[in-house]
Amino acid sequence: MKVQGIKNAHRNVGAVIIATVVACGVIVENVGRAEIRITEGVGRYILEAGHPSLAEWKLPPLAPASDIHGNALTDLGRRLFFDKILSADKTRSCATCHRPELGWSDGLPTARGLDGKPLARATPGLANVAYGSLFNWDGRVASLEEQALGPVFSQSEMGSDSEELVARLEADRFYREAFTKLFPNQPLNEKQVGLALAAFERTLLVQDTRFDRWVAGESGVLTDSEIRGFGVFIDPNRGSCGTCHAPPNFTDNGFHNIGLESFGHGNPDLGRYKIRPVRLMRGAFKTPPLRNIALSAPYFHDGSAATLEDVIEHYRTGGVVKENLSPEMKVLRLNAREKSDLVAFLKAISNSHVNFSTELALEQQ
Amino acid sequence: MNRWLREGDFLQMKTGIRISVIFVLSFFVGHLVADQLPVVGQKDKKFSVERLAVKVGESVSFANEDPFFHNVFSLSPAATFDLGSYPQGESRAVTFKEAGEVQIECAIHPSMQMVIEVTE
Ligand SMILES: [Cu+2]
């Protein structure tokens, strides 16, 4: 009996060992199939639809608009945004450069000035601008209200004059009535124009890309290639994009010199350095958010990358000009598949079109 | 399992080792300075305190605890300095020689701000 017992015990141990080995095998398999674990600098993500570790990529709801005007202010802002009345010679509106169908950008390497000549910097897309805190490539403006008046009065962009603009808007029956209704005890002024434009810009939200639906728990909306691309994007040892294009809005709201070729030219755009004269800021520009990025080619503040493939190739080299390069930039070891996965991912954080009726906005004019 | 999954596993190991090395290093470095200096951490893109009071002649150490670079600086007349950029696990110190309010910011992440009140 005793011997038998020991034998049994041995057999049991054996069974336990076998069971354990099998179980481990199953676990490893499961890890391989369902849970792609990688270590990420800002936390650990499991690349599975709706996994709690992905929650930080979910855009938070915006604080409810503090103004009492509700949609009326936004509607007025929309009309102003598309109205050429804001430019001195009535040839252009905000939407001349920020075109809805081009991700609220203009498809040009750098914006075209009033005189038809190219300006120094590219027109940024405006998707999710409501989540920003500093505006323009160098972050020189701290509110959308203030930013909106910049192009209106800039001689190279819209060339308007404050007094003349107010007189024009007052002379227009629609605007006179709309402004009076919204601001009953104030004379029409440029500040109100800024308020309305900013209110409209805050509605240009992109929160429902396929990636967002995947993060929210919908499985099957991303292809394997797109999921792999996300892995490359956040992996500090491969794409290393997520350090700067950080969750949830794909930006750290920070400034970096990413080594563009134009910084090597004679008299380069110093970017953020003009606002904060700290050495590292020479040639540094704001990290743009990336949702809807597929719509707003060409890329970078100087428009030097024509396609998303060109963007990835730039990062792969670790930057062309190494002088004053961001310490986060490095040569990337990416194979062909990883590069195409990255591009696929950038498309998965973009909608195929802008959910906006241009006709509606233009009809009003 | 495909190739890059295994790379992911490997990555975890490597990061583990790196973190231990940083831990050990920061233990030694920390020991040298932490006893004497007040330390202001930079973690999750925030300074660990929003305000700090020090006396003229005192130093403050700025410790980066985030897995990316920060660049602490001030352009205030009472103390103008640029600590440059340094990674996780490193710290750099500033000595405050004049009384006054010193506005401190990170050049890379301007939302990181704090004030050091320097008194006689
Ligand atoms: Cu920082």
Side-chain angles (χ1 to χ4, degrees), chain A residues 193-238:
Chain A
V193 174
L195 281 169
L197 284 167
F200 167 64
E201 290 175 295
R202 290 203 178 87
T203 66
L204 307 178
L205 298 172
V206 179
Q207 303 163 312
D208 57 349
T209 67
R210 283 184 297 116
F211 172 73
D212 294 294
R213 287 160 54 195
W214 182 72
V215 165
E218 234 180 285
S219 52
V221 285
L222 292 188
T223 65
D224 287 350
S225 163
E226 290 162 347
I227 296 176
R228 283 198 307 268
F230 178 49
V232 176
F233 190 90
I234 57 180
D235 184 341
N237 288 332
R238 289 186 296 151

Side-chain angles (χ1 to χ4, degrees), chain A residues 52-67:
Chain A
S53 65
L54 302 173
E56 61 195 62
W57 288 95
K58 199 180 257 177
L59 281 168
L62 290 169
S66 56
D67 68 83

Side-chain angles (χ1 to χ4, degrees), chain A residues 27 122 125 128 148 203 270 338:
Chain A
I27 290 165
N128 290 336
T203 66
L270 294 181
E338 287 169 325

Side-chain angles (χ1 to χ4, degrees), chain B residues 42 45-47 66 68-72 105-110 112:
Chain B
Q42 293 119 252
K45 291 185 200 125
K46 286 192 188 77
F47 287 112
D66 272 327
F68 41 81
F69 285 78
H70 291 294
N71 190 130
V72 178
E105 219 176 275
C106 170
I108 303 171
H109 311 108
M112 294 176 61

